[in-house]
Amino acid sequence: MTFSSADAARRTAVALEGRMVIDPTWGVVTVTDVEADGTCWPIQVAFSAAGRRWETAFEIGDIADEREPLPENFGEEQAQEMASLAVTWVLERLAA
């Protein structure tokens, strides 16, 4: 049995809310808004840095190997890890 992808999306969205990182180029990058429609991926995320605001969406395949099933015990720790991967993905988009 594997954990529901929709539940993983919701938990990851909650873990992303208000997250802040310091980027050497952009300074403080803050997640300002997160939306997961509750049925599955993608997660919509808005973030700001250096007085600018961006919006994007990401799928589970953007931040993790979607061929790997989500663990049955997907909880807070896994959601935090997915949120960290999502922030890294956002920073890579900013650098491009």
Side-chain angles (χ1 to χ4, degrees):
M1 182 176 176
T2 58
F3 193 79
S4 159
S5 184
D7 288 337
R10 280 192 297 276
R11 287 182 185 219
T12 300
V14 168
L16 270 168
E17 291 175 352
R19 201 167 264 243
M20 228 183 308
V21 295
I22 297 177
D23 179 74
T25 303
W26 293 98
V28 177
V29 178
T30 305
V31 175
T32 57
D33 191 27
V34 181
E35 286 184 38
D37 71 5
T39 59
C40 208
W41 302 81
I43 294 175
Q44 307 288 329
V45 62
F47 54 98
S48 64
R52 296 181 58 191
R53 186 176 193 275
W54 297 268
E55 293 183 21
T56 191
F58 64 91
E59 299 276 350
I60 193 168
D62 293 324
I63 61 171
D65 185 350
E66 61 189 334
R67 296 172 295 182
E68 294 286 324
L70 294 169
E72 180 180 321
N73 59 347
F74 190 100
E76 180 67 24
E77 185 178 324
Q78 290 80 12
Q80 291 294 332
E81 182 179 337
M82 293 289 268
S84 291
L85 291 170
V87 169
T88 299
W89 182 82
V90 164
L91 293 175
E92 288 171 354
R93 300 288 98 31
L94 278 174

